[in-house]
Amino acid sequence: MAEHAEPDVTVSQLLLAEYQTVKDEQKTRIGFRDNLLYVTLAVVAAVIAAAAQAERSAMLLAIPPVCVVLGWTYLVNDEKISAIGKYIRDDLGPRLAQLVQAERAFGWETAHRTDARRRTRKALQCAIDLLAFCVVPLAGLAVYWSAGQTSTGLLVVSVFEAIGLVGLAAQVVLYARPFS
């Protein structure tokens, strides 16, 4: 008759290790996401300064594609950060709580979402994201269009850039989910 060996790792230890791994990924993504705002501001300021110094409004056309790429990267990371929180709240936490026969696990993952000002903060963050990634580059396009230095080819490019920025703005609003 074979003896039953005790497992070296318990299910609860595995779940806690998974929790630590996803929280580490979430923390890394938060840092990366937040730095994207600073990078965007630095790039926009550099392009505006260069365009003003050179007195060439066409240089402002560099801002929209940079903002679309950085803004989309920001949104993707923000979505993954939220997805990790949802996974912990809806899947990992309940599995661990059931396993250890507790009412719940990882209570902070839910508690911090009950703040009375959460909706206001989310709406303000949406406005900041729209300003940084969409409004500022659209203003750059408006300056280009009104400067009187347009060419047909660059005008076509600028219209496509505007369409891209409007698309990004729609995604920013959709991802904001101020009521969730």
Side-chain angles (χ1 to χ4, degrees):
M1 180 164 41
E3 283 187 47
H4 292 288
E6 289 293 317
D8 291 338
V9 178
T10 65
V11 174
S12 58
Q13 288 171 322
L14 284 173
L15 293 175
L16 288 172
E18 181 181 10
Y19 172 75
Q20 188 59 55
T21 300
V22 295
K23 286 304 282 184
D24 287 346
E25 179 181 347
Q26 189 181 49
K27 182 171 55 172
T28 300
R29 285 183 178 276
I30 288 170
F32 181 74
R33 176 203 61 195
D34 292 352
N35 283 329
L36 286 170
L37 273 172
Y38 303 126
V39 169
T40 302
L41 292 174
V43 168
V44 167
V47 171
I48 290 171
Q53 188 173 17
E55 296 180 5
R56 293 186 35 101
S57 63
M59 293 174 74
L60 296 173
L61 296 180
I63 295 173
V66 167
C67 287
V68 167
V69 169
L70 292 175
W72 181 252
T73 305
Y74 178 94
L75 281 179
V76 168
N77 272 281
D78 192 60
E79 175 60 23
K80 294 299 181 207
I81 291 162
S82 296
I84 289 169
K86 183 174 178 10
Y87 173 70
I88 291 169
R89 283 189 310 278
D90 297 349
D91 189 305
L92 191 59
R95 282 192 293 152
L96 182 61
Q98 182 181 26
L99 187 67
V100 298
Q101 299 176 342
E103 187 176 324
R104 66 181 174 170
F106 313 126
W108 173 249
E109 298 293 335
T110 303
H112 78 277
R113 298 172 58 83
T114 61
D115 177 10
R117 287 181 263 179
R118 183 169 188 274
R119 287 184 180 161
T120 301
R121 275 196 320 275
K122 287 187 71 82
L124 287 171
Q125 186 63 53
C126 180
I128 290 167
D129 295 346
L130 286 169
L131 179 65
F133 298 115
C134 303
V135 173
V136 168
L138 282 169
L141 289 176
V143 169
Y144 170 71
W145 292 328
S146 65
Q149 302 172 354
T150 59
S151 69
T152 304
L154 290 181
L155 188 59
V156 170
V157 167
S158 70
V159 168
F160 280 108
E161 288 180 341
I163 292 167
L165 289 166
V166 169
L168 177 62
Q171 291 300 307
V172 167
V173 172
L174 288 173
Y175 273 78
R177 287 183 246 127
F179 303 108
S180 62

